[in-house]
Amino acid sequence: MASSLTKVPAPHGEKTFFGHPRGLATLFMTEMWERFSYYGMRALLVLYLVSGGADAATGSQGGGLAYTAATATAIYSVYVAMVYLMALPGGWIGDRVWGARKTVAIASAVIVAGHLCLAVPTSAMFFVGLVLVAIGSGLLKANISTMVGQLYSDPKDPRRDGGFTIFYMGINLGAFAAPFVIGVLGETVNWHLGFGLAAVGMALGAVQFLIGSRHLSQESNRVPNPLTARERNGVLVKSLAVVAAAAVFYLLVGLTGVFRLTLNWALIPITVAGLLIPVAVLARIKRDKDLSNEEQTKMTAFIWFFVAAAIFWMIFDQGASTLSLFGDAKTSRDIFGWEMPNTLFQSLNPAFVMLLAPVFAALWLALARRNREPSTIVKFSVALLVAGVSFFVFLIPMGTATGDTKVTLWWLVLIFLMHTVAELCLSPVGLSLTTKMAPAKYASQMMGVFFLAVTAGDSVTGMLAIAGVDLNGQGMVAVEAVAAVVAAFAIYASRKKVQSLMGEVR
């Protein structure tokens, strides 16, 4: 990591940001503020959904929507699934309609509007806000990384990897700071003030993006593959038809007058879509006759990694739902007489990422020099194994915290640490793998396809919660732990077969 921040001589004496193009500072700050708003709101989401009336005995503020833990977990899972699902059409819009720069500018405005809706204390505006934030985050996520790459016009520019490392630090810096500011304000003072502060953060990001966009590559203004007039009309007609059908359907359901039933009718189609769309996308690519035999074989291997990633994210993303609810109700957060706000647990993962990412990068490099670096499939197996074991560890405090008994907060610290170790074995490795195995025809789309693994994993947890399965109980935590460990051993046992499908890719 240190080498990534070393000042590199810039070509032609241009002004730089740590030796990198000045546009990187603009994108760094935009992504930092977007992640600040996203993770701040996410830290509050489940707690707000389950919060009811104020509790005079404990001093809790109340004022939430008073949903059950199961419903709150379902809403959270569907929300996260939709953020990553929207990355796919977000990339398509950037490539074919607006271009990356315009798409990010519009996405920023949509996110600000979403957080402002969340700040309005009504349940209807809350759900409108969730939809807007999911749409905006998906649009932004798909295009801002593209603009980072566009800053380096020469594919062989030695600064490229370092630039993405700095950009990645912006993500984790925003995610780390958010619970300390948005989370604490929302949890201890007023939920809607927290949501409003998220809007302020994203607004700051949007303003500096507009001001600093002059430093971005002109390529970011270009629409790489613009729609023809005929295609544009076809997309418009189909989009209007889908919107009209959805509006009519939900209007009819809403006439029942039972809002919670309406909520279920909204969640069920989304979770089903979150499972079917990734399958459909993978099937469409796999059936493409333009792909060579080698590309088809690599896509078969990619599906193995996709399924493994979906299982991993199913567990990992419960950090802000199942683990958050446990931290709120069953964990003693007393630190020398000060009760730590529960939302601060959400800062642990980005903090551990910033601390451990350089260690893992150095470890892989050191092992590679000795020709002992584990293959990608072994790294994925380790990630699943550690994630599964983390939930076995979770069973210990769950079994101890019975009745009024609360457990030490160090249990959750340990579990978040294990999740981070697993993440560093899977997430950056998976992103790198995707760029290596993507068919040439789908080179720009495959990153969005890999993100669909998050959608699939969270859609599974959402569907289970809607079906009445207690994701916050010991039984389901044990099932998920077993599933992850079994998947880890199954993938490891199949490593030779998968490696043969990957060809020269390691």
Side-chain angles (χ1 to χ4, degrees):
M1 187 69 68
S3 60
S4 301
L5 300 180
T6 302
K7 290 190 176 182
V8 180
H12 310 301
E14 64 176 278
K15 293 182 179 180
T16 65
F17 175 66
F18 289 107
H20 293 265
R22 289 184 67 187
L24 182 61
T26 297
L27 300 176
F28 174 95
M29 295 297 292
T30 303
E31 183 70 356
M32 185 192 75
W33 283 117
E34 190 274 331
R35 292 290 89 181
F36 175 83
S37 66
Y38 173 79
Y39 280 100
M41 184 276 285
R42 200 179 85 151
L44 295 175
L45 182 55
V46 171
L47 299 178
Y48 172 73
L49 288 170
V50 300
S51 175
D55 189 334
T58 63
S60 64
Q61 58 158 307
L65 297 184
Y67 284 118
T68 63
T71 301
T73 300
I75 293 171
Y76 163 79
S77 298
V78 169
Y79 166 70
V80 176
M82 289 307 98
V83 168
Y84 287 89
L85 180 61
M86 287 305 300
L88 201 62
W92 182 87
I93 289 172
D95 284 343
R96 307 212 62 189
V97 182
W98 290 330
R101 188 187 301 190
K102 185 176 180 179
T103 303
V104 168
I106 292 173
S108 299
V110 172
I111 295 170
V112 172
H115 286 300
L116 288 174
C117 289
L118 291 171
V120 177
T122 66
S123 58
M125 291 301 288
F126 175 81
F127 287 103
V128 170
L130 280 187
V131 171
L132 290 175
V133 174
I135 292 172
S137 297
L139 289 172
L140 187 142
K141 177 177 285 292
N143 290 280
I144 196 165
S145 295
T146 298
M147 288 193 290
V148 175
Q150 290 170 343
L151 294 173
Y152 307 92
S153 55
D154 183 357
K156 296 181 180 179
D157 191 327
R159 301 177 297 169
R160 178 183 290 265
D161 286 351
F164 273 98
T165 301
I166 294 174
F167 178 72
Y168 190 66
M169 291 298 288
I171 294 174
N172 287 285
L173 185 60
F176 172 73
F180 283 94
V181 184
I182 296 173
V184 171
L185 179 66
E187 182 182 357
T188 62
V189 181
N190 182 278
W191 302 112
H192 300 286
L193 283 177
F195 294 137
L197 185 57
V200 172
M202 189 64 238
L204 290 172
V207 169
Q208 70 82 38
F209 177 78
L210 294 175
I211 294 174
S213 60
R214 66 183 184 276
H215 299 302
L216 301 176
S217 167
Q218 287 303 310
E219 186 70 14
S220 64
N221 264 331
R222 192 175 72 87
V223 180
N225 183 23
L227 292 171
T228 64
R230 182 177 180 180
E231 287 174 325
R232 189 179 295 272
N233 290 336
V235 169
L236 181 61
V237 169
K238 290 177 182 177
S239 299
L240 289 175
V242 170
V243 170
V248 170
F249 174 76
Y250 286 115
L251 178 62
L252 291 175
V253 173
L255 290 176
T256 61
V258 183
F259 183 74
R260 289 176 190 261
L261 176 61
T262 307
L263 181 61
N264 283 337
W265 275 104
L267 294 177
I268 292 170
I270 294 174
T271 54
V272 172
L275 285 174
L276 294 183
I277 290 175
V279 173
V281 169
L282 288 171
R284 178 175 62 85
I285 297 175
K286 193 73 177 67
R287 291 199 309 266
D288 193 332
K289 295 181 180 179
D290 291 341
L291 302 188
S292 66
N293 289 335
E294 181 182 359
E295 289 175 325
Q296 287 281 6
T297 301
K298 286 182 178 178
M299 276 304 302
T300 301
F302 180 81
I303 291 172
W304 281 79
F305 292 104
F306 184 92
V307 173
I311 296 171
F312 168 78
W313 292 115
M314 182 177 68
I315 290 178
F316 180 89
D317 277 339
Q318 288 184 63
S321 55
T322 300
L323 292 180
S324 181
L325 290 170
F326 185 84
D328 188 51
K330 296 294 185 179
T331 301
S332 173
R333 305 190 303 277
D334 181 80
I335 302 176
F336 302 114
W338 172 68
E339 185 174 16
M340 184 189 84
N342 185 53
T343 50
L344 293 189
F345 283 121
Q346 301 306 311
S347 286
L348 289 173
N349 172 248
F352 286 142
V353 168
M354 289 189 287
L355 288 171
L356 295 179
V359 176
F360 272 74
L363 174 64
W364 300 143
L365 185 60
L367 290 173
R369 287 171 177 164
R370 295 169 175 77
N371 200 30
R372 298 181 64 181
E373 182 183 6
S375 65
T376 299
I377 196 162
V378 171
K379 292 176 183 176
F380 265 63
S381 300
V382 171
L384 281 173
L385 179 64
V386 174
V389 171
S390 76
F391 263 30
F392 279 122
V393 171
F394 188 25
L395 290 173
I396 299 173
M398 291 184 82
T400 305
T402 57
D404 294 330
T405 303
K406 293 188 176 183
V407 298
T408 176
L409 57 82
W410 294 107
W411 283 110
L412 289 185
V413 173
L414 173 60
I415 294 168
F416 277 109
L417 174 61
M418 295 178 74
H419 282 186
T420 304
V421 169
E423 178 190 5
L424 291 171
C425 289
L426 183 141
S427 184
V429 174
L431 293 173
S432 176
L433 174 78
T434 301
T435 62
K436 296 175 185 176
M437 296 182 63
K441 183 176 179 180
Y442 297 98
S444 61
Q445 299 179 46
M446 283 300 290
M447 202 62 75
V449 173
F450 185 72
F451 284 140
L452 289 180
V454 184
T455 297
D458 283 301
S459 291
V460 170
T461 54
M463 190 171 291
L464 290 171
I466 294 169
V469 176
D470 183 10
L471 291 170
N472 306 298
Q474 289 176 271
M476 194 60 203
V477 168
V479 169
E480 290 179 271
V482 171
V485 171
V486 169
F489 281 107
I491 292 174
Y492 182 78
S494 305
R495 64 190 182 283
K496 292 183 179 179
K497 175 182 177 180
V498 178
Q499 188 61 60
S500 66
L501 294 172
M502 294 169 65
E504 77 287 353
V505 178
R506 288 289 296 168

